[in-house]
Amino acid sequence: MASTPSKSQILSLFRSLLRTARDFSDYNIREYTKRRTIDGFRHNRHVSDPSSIAAAYSDAESQLQIARRQVIVYSLYVPKLKSVMEIKHA
């Protein structure tokens, strides 16, 4: 069984997920990924069992790998028009 990750490892994984979310070109996907990351970590905030912490950490690592692959796929199909939320008014 995997050992329990340290607090710094967990925070590093959280930051990596948020950085990966920034790489999405589509506003909706980017915001969804950020929201999902924050909600997932908030949901597991009070987990104290070492095996549950290790399982949640492992799940988050797999989600990070999926998100990194999805960034590549979405970059191949960048929308031609920006979202209304991304248009800056001069």
Side-chain angles (χ1 to χ4, degrees):
M1 175 160 241
S3 63
T4 304
S6 67
K7 184 175 181 176
S8 63
Q9 288 175 311
I10 293 169
L11 290 174
S12 176
L13 179 61
F14 177 71
R15 287 189 301 268
S16 294
L17 281 160
L18 290 178
R19 268 188 235 110
T20 301
R22 279 193 315 218
D23 293 338
F24 282 103
S25 57
D26 184 79
Y27 174 83
N28 292 323
I29 304 296
R30 184 172 53 245
E31 292 301 312
Y32 171 77
T33 306
K34 283 175 25 182
R35 190 173 57 249
R36 175 84 189 249
T37 297
I38 293 168
D39 290 347
F41 275 80
R42 280 186 184 151
H43 176 73
N44 291 319
R45 179 186 307 180
H46 300 293
V47 174
S48 59
D49 179 39
S51 62
S52 296
I53 293 171
Y57 184 82
S58 176
D59 182 49
E61 281 183 320
S62 66
Q63 291 297 320
L64 176 61
Q65 297 306 316
I66 291 169
R68 286 180 175 163
R69 288 192 303 266
Q70 287 301 108
V71 165
I72 294 168
V73 171
Y74 277 98
S75 70
L76 297 173
Y77 305 102
V78 177
K80 292 178 177 36
L81 299 174
K82 288 189 173 190
S83 169
V84 172
M85 300 299 289
E86 293 178 307
I87 297 174
K88 293 182 181 178
H89 298 285

